[in-house]
Amino acid sequence: MTWTAITSPDLPKPAGAYSHVIDTGTLVFTAGFGPQDPATGEIPDGVEAQTEQVIDNVERALAAVGLGLSDVVKTTVHLQHLDRDFAAYDLVYGRRFTAPHPVRTTVGSTLAGILVEIDAVAVRRS
């Protein structure tokens, strides 16, 4: 199987040695995106605003390979404060990832200066 790595200037600059997207032709994998605004680097306040920005970043990453949020089949979500923020994050997530919702794993994680991070797996439909 061949694959293509993509790093886009329309996304937050990678904080390490990784690509924004790996496209295998059928499956597309995104990096874990935080809530940094790609143009300014600013991080919004609160889990709702951060979730919106994170999903905007995932959406931009998918758009780089011609896909959208409706093509996502799996997400992994990291929340800094799982118990405190789950309900608020889930409201935004449920509105942005419409039914049928992707399968999802949500875990509490130590995150550096942010409240939420999401990575996604999408499928290019034939």
Side-chain angles (χ1 to χ4, degrees), residues 42-111:
E42 292 183 25
I43 298 171
D45 292 329
V47 72
E48 296 94 343
Q50 287 196 20
T51 302
E52 289 281 1
Q53 183 62 57
V54 169
I55 295 172
D56 286 348
N57 290 339
V58 170
E59 190 170 37
R60 278 189 203 90
L62 294 169
V65 295
L67 298 177
L69 295 178
S70 64
D71 299 304
V72 174
V73 296
K74 167 76 169 98
T75 61
T76 303
V77 180
H78 300 267
L79 292 177
Q80 177 75 276
H81 306 287
L82 183 61
D83 291 337
R84 182 190 82 185
D85 290 343
F86 183 85
Y89 130 81
D90 191 54
L91 286 174
V92 175
Y93 182 98
R95 180 174 45 76
R96 297 291 304 273
F97 287 99
T98 57
H101 302 291
V103 298
R104 173 179 78 185
T105 301
T106 305
V107 298
S109 296
T110 301
L111 300 171

